[in-house]
Amino acid sequence: MAVALREKLPLLSAAFLAGASGLGLEIVFVSLCGLTLGYGVSAAVGLTVFLVGWSLGAWASGSFRGPPQVALITAGAFLAASAFCAPAWLVSMAAGTPSRAAAWSASLAALFTVASAQGVFLPQLARRWSLAAGDSLALLFASNLAGAALGAWQVGFVLPAAHGRIKAASVAGVCALAAALVALLGKRHGAPRPASPGAIAADGQLGLARAGLLLAFGTAWLATLEWLALRLGVLWFGGMQNALSGVLIASMAALALGAAFLPRLLGRGPGALVRLGGLCAVASAWFFVAPFFLERTQEWPLLLRACVLVGPALVPFGAVVPLLHREISGESGPRLGSLLAWEALGALLGLPLSHFLIVPYFGLNGALAFWSLSVLCWLACLGARPSPAAWAAAAAAVCVFGWAGFRAMPLALAAPALSDPALEVLEFSEDRHFAVAVVEDGLRGTRTLMTDGFRAAGTGRDYAYMRALGHLPLFLHPAPERVGVLAFGTGTTAGAVALHPEVQHIEVLELSAAVIAAADWFEEAGRGVLNERERVTVHLGDGRRHLANLAGSLDVLTMEPLLPDSPFGVYLYTEEFYARARTALAPGGLLCQWVPPHALEPAVFEAVVGAFCEAMPWSSVWLFGTQVVLLGGEALPLLDAARFPEATAGAELLARELRELGLDGPAGFLARYIQDGASWPCVPRPLTDGDPWIVYRPRRRGLDLLADLPRNLRSLREGAALPPAEWCRELSGAASKRFEALAELRAAREAYALLELNSRGGSLEGAGYAQEGPALLARARSLAPLDPELQAFWEERQFLHSLRRGVARLAGDSSAASAAEAVLSLNRALALRPERADLHWYMAFALERLERPEAQAARDQARALCPRIDATPAGLRTRGWRR
């Protein structure tokens, strides 16, 4: 007789707590091991080792013949102690400089032992579960997976945001101990389970070996699908921690749902397992259907959209363990442990094979196609006789293989960022880390490098600061012979470095091979720097880890990593990272870092800059356009006017580029100076490896995001000061006016950013300052009318004014007078931005209203620049005007 629910409740609760602890600790430990293993491999290797450890721990637990309370209390106490101590130990080890072998050994040992202890719970709970005939572990397993979903949410996201990652791990350890104590409240019921009436082997049972192979294939397949779900989640929802957490939570919830309900629905015996295999094959094709539904649920909360992305694909896999468990004989705990041991084989097959081999060569589609054939192996292991269900399952697998491998568009290209009709994809590839695309943006008239849908770099005017990242530290170093560039992108910064004749060697540190392979598309921006093979060395892999190999060798290290608040980039902005980077510098070396004020809320912006200023003995803050550049070293460097080149033989390119940037002398450099890092305000919560809290901040959008730039520019304006006294002798006469002009320009940028916010319905304190933009800009132009940055900003304002005026006239009414006024305004905009397709499209519409024959030529030019312009906002807007 089945045990009453109230008697099962302690075991269900223990399974739930164990699941929360398990996935919570997995998230924390795998992330921290990235610091020691390197973020190029840590996710795949760490997850594999954790799952192998968990599986072998489950096997050892099932084989344990002592009292269950001994195993449970020992595992719970060990996990609680490990959760309190191990994370801090991993952080401190990462901050040091252990050898690669030592770092790998220690990290993997920590992962394995914690996972092994976590694996103890389910077999011991199964021993205490009622095993009357007809009952199964479906509810127990579902409860464990539901707890894992809670662990992904609370331990993986909420608690680190509020209290830091190390304290979050401690809570997970407490959950493990609580799981052990709660489990002791449940009674042990039942005896070894008799043979199932639905048995499918000759002796009436499936047999452990065959069941184990089935589970190994299922685990490898599931691990790959979860990996694909995370990759697609980044593409659809953005590469931030909330997106990753949402996909994890949705994955665990889907598996829990499948474990709870499918075993009953599918029945028993060979037919149930055959039907399950076919269902898994069909479900894995969901990723090709999901974009249709994701496009129609854009207003839904992220977690619900994550369920749309992954739920239908993963639900059937939740039933694999419960179904296989009830088809083999023996006492519940030992047979569950023996069965779960086979998950180690699946873990060793799935993620490493997909991450290191299949995806880099065949993409996400190839991985999905390859593992869909697991159904054929599944049917072979079952020894299933030909039946309609078996034929249907095999046909489903073959169809998914054929469609995914040969017919379907790459999954990544269906994501919003890459399916934008304004973009023409010139090249697309996938490697272990990113989906990398080179796109031509017809509306903006730029070529852009996109990594997982993020605009990493490009050829537009907005990226001029990347050249400054190369020039600023090199002119302040007396003899920059060996320079490191961390994060290659389009090669713009490395190309700027290569213009300096005194640089003898450039060390490029780049994570993604696909990014390096795309460099030919940006030959002009990067000045073909990778072709200088004797002068340039490319190191693929985690740049932070590789800095240990460059100890004391770099005169300058300059970088522009991913956004500071992304989970993949944050560890290149922490205090411990800068301490590591300093060790790579030679005496007198300089470190240069990028920070984007437009993309960070003020508290995060202050913490990111503060980490650099706190870690460097001397530091400074500079502003190029709207982008902050941080420069630091052991001491204040020398600003030597003699270092700046004249337009003489051998230096023409460098001199011309410096003139284009407004950096053709000390006055140009000093005009971009903001303040000394020592005067940067102390932050209440420092940004460290152990507490990268900025990645857990709520994602900002709309007016909140738009308000960040004026708020951060205001803080920079309020903290601005004169350059160091040693440099101020360069500020005299025209140089002094230029310094003042750029200060006025920064104030004008702030005012216009406020004006933009106000025009869209937002507001900030001091909103009246927005009206001062034109006066500030006019004063700046009167002081330094020839400064290139000032000229570029003035042109931008003229362009936006002309564009918006022309569009407003077209939208206002359909009269010939309005169309004529629109033509005048759009002509002024086209004179400034002839490369933009939307301008030609609007011009065609205005000329069409005037019945001018030039309309067709303007329309053809727009289509030549942007072939799908009809589907862009500009195209949809003009379609609405025709109505």
Side-chain angles (χ1 to χ4, degrees):
M1 180 180 292
V3 183
L5 180 61
R6 61 181 174 81
E7 294 181 341
K8 290 182 176 180
L9 191 58
L11 298 177
L12 290 172
S13 301
F16 185 89
L17 288 168
S21 169
L23 194 60
L25 287 175
E26 179 181 351
I27 292 171
V28 172
F29 273 75
V30 170
S31 179
L32 291 176
C33 283
L35 295 169
T36 50
L37 302 179
Y39 276 88
V41 299
S42 64
V45 171
L47 290 172
T48 299
V49 170
F50 197 96
L51 189 51
V52 169
W54 185 87
S55 303
L56 296 181
W59 170 76
S61 175
S63 304
F64 181 70
R65 294 300 178 185
Q69 55 267 33
V70 172
L72 289 169
I73 293 297
T74 301
F78 175 80
L79 286 169
S82 298
F84 273 96
C85 303
W89 173 69
L90 286 172
V91 170
S92 63
M93 182 175 64
T97 54
S99 67
R100 184 177 179 84
W104 272 69
S105 300
S107 301
L108 296 183
L111 272 174
F112 186 86
T113 53
V114 168
S116 299
Q118 196 68 52
V120 168
F121 285 98
L122 273 182
Q124 293 302 322
L125 294 175
R127 290 179 66 182
R128 305 175 70 82
W129 186 259
S130 172
L131 294 172
D135 199 9
S136 75
L137 294 184
L139 282 180
L140 191 72
F141 200 66
S143 180
N144 184 256
L145 289 167
L150 180 71
W153 175 37
Q154 287 291 323
V155 180
F157 190 79
V158 175
L159 290 173
H163 305 290
R165 195 170 284 176
I166 293 177
K167 290 183 179 179
S170 301
V171 171
V174 170
C175 286
L177 184 57
L181 296 174
V182 171
L184 300 183
L185 301 176
K187 298 178 182 179
R188 182 182 179 185
H189 297 274
R193 176 175 169 262
S196 166
I200 58 177
D203 61 355
Q205 300 296 329
L206 174 61
L208 178 61
R210 277 203 283 172
L213 283 174
L214 289 173
L215 182 57
F217 282 120
T219 299
W221 193 2
L222 172 61
T224 297
L225 289 181
E226 289 183 303
W227 187 254
L228 296 186
L230 287 171
R231 292 282 296 259
L232 292 174
V234 168
L235 285 160
W236 273 94
F237 312 134
M240 298 300 176
Q241 189 65 46
N242 64 331
L244 298 177
S245 297
V247 172
L248 275 176
I249 295 166
S251 299
M252 294 301 107
L255 293 172
L257 190 66
F261 294 105
L262 282 183
R264 290 182 181 275
L265 295 175
L266 291 173
R268 292 180 175 273
L273 291 168
V274 170
R275 288 190 290 273
L276 178 61
L279 193 58
C280 288
V282 172
S284 64
W286 172 257
F287 289 121
F288 294 107
V289 182
F292 175 83
F293 295 95
L294 288 170
E295 289 173 358
R296 288 154 179 78
T297 56
Q298 294 185 27
E299 301 304 317
W300 288 17
L302 187 146
L303 183 56
L304 290 181
R305 299 192 75 212
C307 291
V308 171
L309 173 64
V310 305
L314 299 188
V315 165
F317 290 88
V320 171
V321 171
L323 277 180
L324 290 174
H325 174 266
R326 75 184 185 189
E327 296 300 333
I328 57 178
S329 62
E331 185 183 355
S332 181
R335 68 186 155 107
L336 179 61
S338 299
L339 180 63
L340 292 178
W342 288 83
E343 283 200 342
L345 176 60
L348 290 170
L349 282 174
L351 273 182
L353 189 59
S354 297
H355 178 72
F356 293 105
L357 182 62
I358 300 177
V359 170
Y361 287 97
F362 304 103
L364 301 182
N365 287 44
L368 188 58
F370 178 86
W371 289 108
S372 67
L373 296 181
S374 296
V375 174
L376 303 181
C377 300
W378 180 283
L379 295 174
C381 287
L382 278 172
R385 297 177 180 177
S387 66
W391 282 112
V398 172
C399 288
V400 173
F401 173 81
W403 181 255
F406 302 101
R407 296 288 297 175
M409 176 180 70
L411 286 165
L413 291 181
L418 293 174
S419 61
D420 185 341
L423 305 181
E424 179 186 358
V425 178
L426 303 177
E427 180 178 305
F428 175 78
S429 62
E430 294 168 293
D431 65 8
R432 289 188 267 169
H433 315 290
F434 302 117
V436 176
V438 179
V439 301
E440 202 77 57
D441 187 333
L443 288 189
R444 301 187 187 190
T446 61
R447 182 170 293 177
T448 303
L449 176 73
M450 303 185 77
T451 56
D452 282 344
F454 171 69
R455 290 177 179 265
T459 60
R461 295 171 175 83
D462 294 340
Y463 299 103
Y465 71 91
M466 292 183 175
R467 293 185 282 169
L469 282 168
H471 296 304
L472 174 64
L474 267 64
F475 276 114
L476 289 176
H477 192 285
E481 296 180 355
R482 192 174 185 189
V483 177
V485 178
L486 194 157
F488 182 75
T490 55
T492 303
T493 300
V497 169
L499 288 176
H500 293 254
E502 64 269 36
V503 175
Q504 298 177 8
H505 199 78
I506 302 172
E507 305 277 354
V508 173
L509 284 64
E510 172 56 51
L511 181 64
S512 171
V515 169
I516 296 296
D520 288 345
W521 290 100
F522 302 96
E523 187 83 10
E524 184 177 350
R527 302 188 183 279
V529 64
L530 294 184
N531 296 327
E532 301 185 39
R533 300 184 184 277
E534 295 183 358
R535 195 182 180 202
V536 179
T537 302
V538 176
H539 305 277
L540 289 175
D542 183 81
R544 173 170 169 150
R545 284 289 307 161
H546 188 76
L547 287 176
N549 301 329
L550 299 173
S553 65
L554 298 178
D555 297 309
V556 168
L557 174 61
T558 185
M559 65 195 89
E560 190 208 5
L562 293 173
L563 290 174
D565 55 348
S566 73
F568 310 108
V570 67
Y571 293 111
L572 298 176
Y573 292 89
T574 62
E575 293 181 12
E576 292 87 347
F577 165 72
Y578 293 126
R580 167 70 63 85
R582 283 176 58 192
T583 66
L585 297 176
L590 294 175
L591 180 64
C592 191
Q593 173 70 290
W594 163 77
V595 180
H598 68 284
L600 305 174
E601 63 176 294
V604 172
F605 176 67
E606 290 178 4
V608 170
V609 177
F612 185 93
C613 297
E614 183 68 26
M616 304 302 293
W618 170 82
S619 60
S620 55
V621 182
W622 308 67
L623 192 67
F624 290 84
T626 60
Q627 303 301 297
V628 166
V629 175
L630 305 176
L631 187 67
E634 296 299 320
L636 176 71
L638 176 67
L639 179 61
D640 185 2
R643 291 287 320 283
F644 292 86
E646 299 292 338
T648 55
E652 299 94 337
L653 286 178
L654 178 58
R656 185 173 67 202
E657 175 152 307
L658 293 175
R659 284 197 305 274
E660 292 173 355
L661 295 171
L663 302 178
D664 47 339
F669 274 81
L670 293 179
R672 275 80 185 171
Y673 178 88
I674 300 296
Q675 67 184 94
D676 190 278
S679 63
W680 192 260
C682 293
V683 296
R685 190 173 178 181
L687 181 58
T688 64
D689 285 348
D691 186 18
W693 59 272
I694 64 174
V695 304
Y696 302 104
R697 298 290 294 175
R699 300 312 309 154
R700 299 162 73 77
R701 60 179 61 190
L703 295 178
D704 289 335
L705 181 61
L706 198 61
D708 287 338
L709 179 60
R711 292 169 71 186
N712 290 329
L713 289 178
R714 179 191 302 172
S715 71
L716 291 170
R717 174 170 56 86
E718 293 172 348
L722 287 173
E726 294 87 339
W727 295 351
C728 279
R729 64 175 179 268
E730 302 291 344
L731 287 179
S732 60
S736 178
K737 286 186 176 182
R738 194 169 182 184
F739 183 86
E740 185 180 352
L742 268 291
E744 296 289 326
L745 173 60
R746 291 190 288 271
R749 287 187 186 277
E750 178 191 341
Y752 277 110
L754 275 172
L755 189 64
E756 184 73 19
L757 178 66
N758 295 343
S759 69
R760 302 194 186 190
S763 63
L764 284 177
E765 292 182 8
Y769 189 71
Q771 306 306 318
E772 299 182 26
L776 289 166
L777 182 55
R779 175 165 171 75
R781 294 187 69 207
S782 69
L783 291 168
L786 300 180
D787 185 88
E789 183 182 331
L790 207 161
Q791 288 180 322
F793 184 70
W794 181 81
E795 284 186 2
E796 179 70 15
R797 299 314 310 171
Q798 295 299 306
F799 161 73
L800 289 174
H801 175 75
S802 299
L803 169 62
R804 290 170 178 174
R805 182 176 175 81
V807 170
R809 298 307 296 167
L810 290 174
D813 62 68
S814 58
S815 67
S818 294
E821 291 182 23
V823 168
L824 291 176
S825 294
L826 292 171
N827 266 327
R828 287 192 291 269
L830 275 168
L832 296 169
R833 300 287 188 272
E835 71 277 8
R836 290 187 58 131
D838 55 348
L839 292 179
H840 293 280
W841 188 255
Y842 292 135
M843 178 63 78
F845 187 82
L847 293 171
E848 183 181 301
R849 278 186 175 175
L850 294 173
E851 299 181 354
R852 299 259 295 272
E854 301 96 316
Q856 186 59 47
R859 189 177 296 108
D860 291 343
Q861 178 65 17
R863 291 191 190 282
L865 292 171
C866 184
R868 294 190 293 160
I869 194 169
D870 303 77
T872 67
L876 297 176
R877 187 177 292 123
T878 56
R879 189 184 306 171
W881 292 340
R882 285 192 171 90
R883 295 172 186 167

